[in-house]
Amino acid sequence: MTSLPPRSKVVAVVSDIHFNLHCEATWKAFRAWVRYVKPDEIVIAGDFLDLGMMSHYAVGADDPLDPVDQIQLFVRETRALLKHTPSLVVMEGNHDERWGKVLLGENPSRLRKAKGLSLREQCLSQGLDPSVKWLRETTHATGYRVGQFWIRHGHRQAARFGGGRHIAANRISKTFSSEIIGHHHKAQLFCQTIRSSRDRDTVVVGIANPCMTRDHSYALAADWQRGFTILELSGERATPYVVLIEGGKFSWGGRVFDGNR
């Protein structure tokens, strides 16, 4: 009897959605892919909210003014994703951290025992499923591991927003490990072979994850790319696919996913 080949595990990494300033067609195309593929896990790697009204920057004329509206939209969308995946991981990015900076100040540890003030607690009060894994990057928790990849938002690793022309290459030149970071709204993949003394080569991969936001008032016609990353795991190693969503649609696995319909 011929045994069936082992099934790979599929993980989607999405970042920089910036609800409710997201690119609707891009997000709808991703949602259509999730419904079809039913990935084993989805990792939202930061900046799922925009929270521009809670920053020190001037708010654009057409930008939203209510942070709770953004939270409620995020909660609705996560609940929709959970219908098609058994595991959802959410990590805070620099935009999401604006909530805590306003409510808890620059030294949030002073109010660590207070209840109902953190962004996660607010999302739970608005209906976030408690099964969602919530991560906040600290000195002792610097990301989320999938296969050989460390997934981070990237704002704590970058010198500034934009990160230069070679974001992915810069990251692995500093760490010599495989990483996926968001934050920069760029799509890049860079590989480097590390030679070992045992004649065993290791390929490390740096990925700058594309975004899912629309152009913002502070960056009209910006050099941003939209899309997400798919990791397909076989054992402890993952094969990465950086997916570009152009005009709200993309193809994968012989199908077209169109968010304009």
Side-chain angles (χ1 to χ4, degrees):
M1 180 181 293
T2 302
S3 60
L4 293 174
R7 180 186 178 275
S8 60
K9 179 180 178 182
V10 177
V11 177
V13 182
V14 56
S15 64
D16 303 278
I17 309 165
H18 289 264
F19 287 128
N20 50 357
L21 293 175
H22 61 295
C23 178
E24 188 170 353
T26 299
W27 180 250
K28 287 174 67 177
F30 172 69
R31 282 274 309 274
W33 179 87
V34 169
R35 287 194 298 272
Y36 174 70
V37 174
K38 295 179 172 50
D40 297 277
E41 188 166 68
I42 298 173
V43 181
I44 300 179
D47 282 6
F48 48 89
L49 303 177
D50 187 72
L51 300 182
M53 74 294 290
M54 303 185 82
S55 75
H56 62 272
Y57 298 106
V59 178
D62 299 322
D63 289 348
L65 299 176
D66 190 339
V68 177
D69 286 347
Q70 296 186 354
I71 290 172
Q72 290 174 341
L73 176 58
F74 163 69
V75 168
R76 289 197 299 272
E77 292 299 326
T78 57
R79 295 186 77 87
L81 292 177
L82 282 168
K83 294 178 181 178
H84 307 287
T85 183
S87 178
L88 181 61
V89 179
V90 172
M91 61 179 63
E92 293 187 25
N94 54 300
H95 278 251
D96 313 307
E97 289 175 353
R98 289 171 173 175
W99 177 276
K101 289 179 179 178
V102 170
L103 270 71
L104 302 172
E106 294 295 334
N107 185 10
S109 62
R110 293 175 302 181
L111 296 172
R112 62 183 179 275
K113 295 181 181 179
K115 300 295 183 183
L117 296 180
S118 72
L119 180 58
R120 179 178 182 272
E121 289 166 335
Q122 178 60 214
C123 289
L124 287 170
S125 72
Q126 297 292 341
L128 181 72
D129 192 305
S131 70
V132 172
K133 303 170 190 172
W134 191 284
L135 301 177
R136 194 168 190 275
E137 193 171 342
T138 66
T139 304
H140 303 291
T142 58
Y144 186 70
R145 189 73 177 262
V146 174
Q148 75 273 32
F149 285 91
W150 279 104
I151 302 172
R152 303 179 171 101
H153 180 61
H155 63 303
R156 298 193 182 278
Q157 289 74 36
R160 61 182 180 85
F161 177 72
R165 293 180 61 86
H166 305 292
I167 299 160
N170 289 342
R171 282 306 307 150
I172 62 173
S173 69
K174 295 176 181 178
T175 65
F176 296 104
S177 63
S178 294
E179 291 190 12
I180 301 174
I181 62 170
H183 183 57
H184 301 285
H185 301 189
K186 296 279 193 180
Q188 294 182 354
L189 184 149
F190 185 86
C191 304
Q192 183 174 345
T193 299
I194 307 298
R195 307 289 183 184
S196 72
S197 58
R198 299 178 181 176
D199 272 343
R200 181 177 178 181
D201 298 341
T202 300
V203 177
V204 293
V205 182
I207 294 175
N209 202 46
C211 67
M212 289 200 171
T213 187
R214 64 177 187 253
D215 287 348
H216 292 202
S217 58
Y218 62 84
L220 298 176
D223 179 21
W224 296 348
Q225 293 84 49
R226 294 172 181 87
F228 64 109
T229 297
I230 299 169
L231 295 177
E232 194 164 3
L233 279 89
S234 174
E236 296 182 354
R237 301 292 293 180
T239 301
Y241 306 87
V242 179
V243 178
L244 292 177
I245 304 178
E246 299 184 82
K249 61 184 178 180
F250 69 98
S251 58
W252 189 83
R255 295 176 65 94
V256 174
F257 301 90
D258 191 343
N260 299 290
R261 295 177 179 176

